[in-house]
Amino acid sequence: MKKKYLLTVGALCLALCGCGAGGNDAGKDDSIFEETENAEGSEAETAQTPEGGNDGEATDVSTIKPMPSYRVARKYFYNYYDGDMVTDDTEIDYSTYNNGLLFQGYNEVLLMDDSCKDYYPEMYQTLSDLAAADKAGSEEYVTEQTQMAKEDFENSLKEGYEFYGPYASEDTISIIRSDEKILSYYSYGYDFLGGVHGSYGIGGQTYDVETGKEIAITDVVKVDEEEFNKVIKDKLLETAEDEDQFMDLDSSLSHYRFNPKENDPEDYENYEYGYNWYLGNDGLHVVFNPYEIAAYAYGMSDITIGYDEFPGMIDERFAVTDNRSYIVPANIYITSASYDEDNESLHLRYTPEFEDPDENGDDYAKDLTLIRNGKSATIDEPFFVEYRFIKFYDVKTSDNKEYIYVTIPEMDDYWALLVYDITGDDVKAAGTMYYHSFETSDSDGYNIEPLFSDPEKMQFGRKEDSFGSFICYGDYNVGADGIPVLSSDYYTVSWCSDDIRSTKEITADVVDENGNVTEQGAVISAGESFKPLRTDAENWIDCQLGDGRIVRMQFTSTEYPATIGGDSVDDLFEGLVYAG
């Protein structure tokens, strides 16, 4: 799994002496963004000037690149004890600890959506290569940690001490800035390898979308390290919880370099570290993980330097426009009304349905309230409070409206999207939208699903039963009230029955990949295979035949059982499977 953000033994020793660790930017191409600017200028001319020069003709929109979109691939790991050791301890049978679970966790890798491959081939390939390498590293890491957990578990049986398990590792991808120039994201990792507590941290990565190359901090920051560190120091001190948080901060920061040297593992006092950073919509973020400049109890420090906060410090080419739309993970928290007395900071408060949590400490909520600056808005939506699955997003549109999106898992792979309007100083409940999860899988056992990175192209799924049960998804953008509205003309099918075949002759129109009719009234013989591709979920469905042709069939009804030409689909086809 990703370990870029974790401390090495040498870094940890130095951190405990008052100095920290970070990412390494050495070896990156300082001319990346310069190349990008030239490339983008060429693309812009191509998009705005028809071939042969600009003579007043309309723009050829087919040459304009869409905003890049991304997907996350995730794999879960659950490894159990496979040995034969048991214990005679009658009080605690350690051999059944957590049902023999030694290691659990998940790994995430970032991919570019296939629809963007032809527009951003270099970035597409870069992410594919990074994902392949990370998957291989993840498998190796899980195998190693499972073996360590097994040895720890067996030693606990021999020595009679408690096994503090299971071991765990989690890696989560969060895109923080995504546009036609920049992809900047961080990986949040958590590891528990026995002991008193786990370790966690983030590692930022930033790429030029045109070239697919990683951007160096020297592309972004245009002052020397001394001036840069002075700003970082002032920012850190502004966030200090007490005067003891940052001990000897000058000494700690003095070890950070734009281009750190290769370190001698035995020479801790002269270690050099690269800055751990990423770009947000609000500026350059510099991160220090636990132990790097402060004790573990103080947690992680993430400071922000605005793009125009210090003139000349950050290259203006990386700045964002004021009316730029975005959707990013929101830095808010959720808590129970039983304990919450905060009516000022931006956060979420749920009302427990029952007086006491269940035996696992979990709550069932009957509503969710967003609070900010003494104002609040409540949406009545019952849900099971599973903190690890509830996600929050800050959404800003090009007309400067701002919303908080909250996604909450429901039953049977359905989700609720709760929308709050926080435009200006007000807080309003916009409403709730329900959708179905959808995902595909790859040969490595990873499930792939979309990431929210562009409020003009968010993908949500739905379940249909008009051609057997199938899952499809469409593109949505932010509606006038903040609730997503469908923007695509159809839904793409992501999951359906495996082997659908016609039992009778069927008349349908043949269409091309874009849905244009190329042959009307084609007769499809009985026994032909049908694979659903897309549908408008009301009037028609396109299927690919075994011979490669795509046919469009018109529904006379989509109510179960759906009908085509007045005949039930169950009479026209075999192999239709219904779920739920």
Side-chain angles (χ1 to χ4, degrees), residues 327 393 395 397 403-407 415-420 430-435 452 454-462 474-488 491:
I327 177 169
Y393 300 91
V395 183
T397 61
Y403 305 92
I404 295 295
Y405 280 11
V406 183
T407 59
W415 289 72
L417 171 65
L418 281 60
V419 179
Y420 300 86
T432 303
M433 167 185 164
Y434 300 95
Y435 64 97
F452 292 147
D454 180 4
E456 301 303 317
K457 187 182 179 181
M458 301 175 289
Q459 293 181 332
F460 296 96
R462 61 185 288 166
D475 294 339
Y476 290 72
N477 57 29
V478 180
D481 59 357
I483 306 293
V485 294
L486 184 68
S487 58
S488 54
Y491 299 91

Side-chain angles (χ1 to χ4, degrees), residues 368-382:
L368 189 63
T369 300
L370 182 72
I371 299 165
R372 184 183 68 169
N373 297 333
K375 298 180 180 180
S376 64
T378 300
I379 295 179
D380 294 325
E381 177 64 36

Side-chain angles (χ1 to χ4, degrees), residues 7 17 36 52 120 124 128 134 139 167 233 289 298 303 346 355 359 382 403 429 462-463 496 501 526 566 577:
L7 291 168
C17 296
T36 303
Y120 305 97
Y124 183 94
S128 297
D134 189 78
E139 295 291 339
Y167 284 18
K233 176 183 176 181
N289 289 316
Y298 288 106
I303 60 105
L346 178 65
E355 184 174 345
E359 59 183 8
Y403 305 92
R462 61 185 288 166
K463 176 177 175 289
C496 60
R501 293 185 178 275
V577 177

Side-chain angles (χ1 to χ4, degrees), residues 282-295:
D282 52 353
L284 167 66
H285 289 247
V286 182
V287 180
F288 299 92
N289 289 316
Y291 286 131
E292 291 183 349
I293 58 172

Side-chain angles (χ1 to χ4, degrees), residues 27 41 64 66 73 93 106 115 205 269 310 320 373 502 519:
I64 300 177
D93 183 0
Y106 61 87
S115 65
Q205 293 180 269
E269 292 185 0
F310 299 92
V320 296
N373 297 333
S502 55
E519 180 185 352

Side-chain angles (χ1 to χ4, degrees), residues 125-146:
Q125 189 61 50
T126 293
L127 291 180
S128 297
D129 292 344
L130 288 171
D134 189 78
K135 287 179 179 180
S138 175
E139 295 291 339
E140 182 178 348
Y141 181 78
V142 170
T143 299
E144 292 175 352
Q145 297 308 316
T146 299

